[in-house]
Amino acid sequence: MRRLAAVLLLALLPSLALAVEPAVVDPGRTMLAVEGRDRGAPRPIALTLGLSRAVPHRVALIDGPPRLVVDLLETRVPAATAADPSQPLALRWGPAPTGGARAILTLPGPMEVDIARMNAAPAALSIRLVPVTADRFAPRTDPLTVLHGLPKPAATGQGRAGTALADGRIRVVLDPGHGGIDPGAQVGGISEAAVMLGFAHELSAALRAKGIEVVQTREDDRFIPLERRTTIARAQGADLFISLHADALPAGEAAGATIYVWDPQSNDRAARQLALLHDRSDLLAAMDLSNTDEDVSRALIDLARIDTQPRSQDAARHMVARMNAGGIAMHRVPVRGAAFSVLKSPDIPSLLVELGFLTDPGDRTNLFDPDWRARFAGAVADGVASWAADEADRSVAAGARP
């Protein structure tokens, strides 16, 4: 009842968000081209949308017929122009249901997104599509939902975020960073994506040995968008989400393991972006916010984070304690805050673990030392197990209160 009262009270407060001048699509820097020579076979398509400033965006493929849908938030809808019948490809513009502008491009056949990148200076969204066979075409399975501006909701059920499985175990979703077209940090022939995938398999085995159920966001070298990684965690009912990385920084600037949690200083901005970029019913497990206004959405997100943020920090502290006990060298500030996209989930305790930095010779040696990796995986698994035990104790204590 107290939580409901808090939500209702916050919903009555006036919005403090400042109006943002909409971005404008620049026709002179907007280009659509088919790559290569026409030999009768499908060819890659390059699309560049010039903008007056960088904006949040969303890209989706749908079928019936194959189409590319691009939403540019905080963007004014361009003035309508007459279609050129001599051009095989043409963009259709209209308002996006969640605000901003929407562009739809009908494709010549099944394709996949090879690149989708927002450049800041000069501001432009660059998208490259490549032809694929029909069996590899992976459009959204909910085309009507996409066309109405609502991303596909993640399924939830028993074992959803914040609850234990029926047999008392917890479920951890491991996220090996990067993959596919995004190799992450690279030093020589070493890629962060490959190193983290290998370590994720080792950590999965260590967690399962502790009786912890594990799901990985990727099992091979494939690209998974950031939004999809957190959606996988929510769909799987994760009790804890751990993203694994080994970045590169200029020599001497960083060394040792580091654990990141969401930076609360970025909380308000992240809540606004989440409400715009994601399906609101996908933001909080078992809560349908699809018809809720912005103030109420932000209030519910903040309330969820009030619970999950301390739990994320507790999980980080448990891991640090186990790493110290195992002699794992850590950064001088082992737990830090950051506004990484994979830490945004307001309803799932989330951590980003930097095993070390590929640019540091000592860290690089550790990352390829089987004994060090085994000790690191063991320390993380021990930390997760002790955190889960504390979570269970708190749940029992809370249930015993009158």
Side-chain angles (χ1 to χ4, degrees), residues 355-400:
L355 279 72
F357 293 84
L358 286 174
T359 41
D360 181 78
D363 286 355
R364 195 162 58 246
T365 298
N366 287 337
L367 289 166
F368 285 89
D369 180 352
D371 177 67
W372 184 90
R373 289 200 312 270
R375 287 191 296 117
F376 196 100
V380 172
D382 287 341
V384 172
S386 60
W387 172 79
D390 276 1
E391 288 272 292
D393 289 344
R394 278 193 290 271
S395 179
V396 170

Side-chain angles (χ1 to χ4, degrees), residues 97-178:
T98 52
R102 165 166 288 178
I104 298 179
L105 175 66
T106 299
L107 305 174
M111 307 193 89
E112 69 179 9
V113 177
D114 180 39
I115 295 171
R117 180 177 58 242
M118 179 67 72
N119 301 310
L125 176 61
S126 299
I127 300 173
R128 184 174 187 267
L129 301 130
V130 294
V132 295
T133 56
D135 61 313
R136 284 189 56 195
F137 184 44
R140 294 286 294 272
T141 57
D142 55 341
L144 290 178
T145 300
V146 173
L147 287 176
H148 285 287
L150 301 175
K152 183 179 179 180
T156 58
Q158 290 187 346
R160 63 184 172 80
T163 66
L165 299 174
D167 58 6
R169 293 179 299 150
I170 68 165
R171 179 179 289 137
V172 173
V173 169
L174 292 182
D175 174 42
H178 309 283

Side-chain angles (χ1 to χ4, degrees), residues 26-168:
D26 182 352
R29 294 192 298 115
T30 295
M31 295 170 284
L32 178 60
V34 179
E35 299 178 358
R37 293 185 177 180
D38 186 0
R39 294 186 172 90
R43 294 178 289 162
I45 295 172
L47 171 63
T48 300
L49 300 176
L51 297 161
S52 58
R53 64 177 175 86
V55 296
H57 64 282
R58 178 170 53 193
V59 176
L61 290 169
I62 60 175
D63 201 2
R67 282 162 290 171
L68 171 72
V69 179
V70 181
D71 282 354
L72 299 170
L73 303 178
E74 304 169 6
T75 303
R76 184 177 295 120
V77 179
T81 56
D84 184 348
S86 67
Q87 297 299 317
L89 296 172
L91 284 175
R92 290 181 290 128
W93 287 95
T98 52
R102 165 166 288 178
I104 298 179
L105 175 66
T106 299
L107 305 174
M111 307 193 89
E112 69 179 9
V113 177
D114 180 39
I115 295 171
R117 180 177 58 242
M118 179 67 72
N119 301 310
L125 176 61
S126 299
I127 300 173
R128 184 174 187 267
L129 301 130
V130 294
V132 295
T133 56
D135 61 313
R136 284 189 56 195
F137 184 44
R140 294 286 294 272
T141 57
D142 55 341
L144 290 178
T145 300
V146 173
L147 287 176
H148 285 287
L150 301 175
K152 183 179 179 180
T156 58
Q158 290 187 346
R160 63 184 172 80
T163 66
L165 299 174
D167 58 6

Side-chain angles (χ1 to χ4, degrees), residues 9 91 265:
L9 177 61
L91 284 175
Q265 297 302 317

Side-chain angles (χ1 to χ4, degrees), residues 122 124 133 176 290 334 347:
T133 56
S290 56
D347 55 325

Side-chain angles (χ1 to χ4, degrees), residues 58 98 140 142 145 149-154 227 231 234 273-284 287-291:
R58 178 170 53 193
T98 52
R140 294 286 294 272
D142 55 341
T145 300
L150 301 175
K152 183 179 179 180
E227 176 183 342
T231 301
R234 189 166 295 106
Q273 296 304 321
L274 281 170
L276 288 169
L277 292 172
H278 298 265
D279 183 7
R280 293 175 180 172
S281 64
D282 191 24
L283 285 172
L284 299 169
M287 289 189 182
D288 181 7
L289 306 181
S290 56
N291 293 314

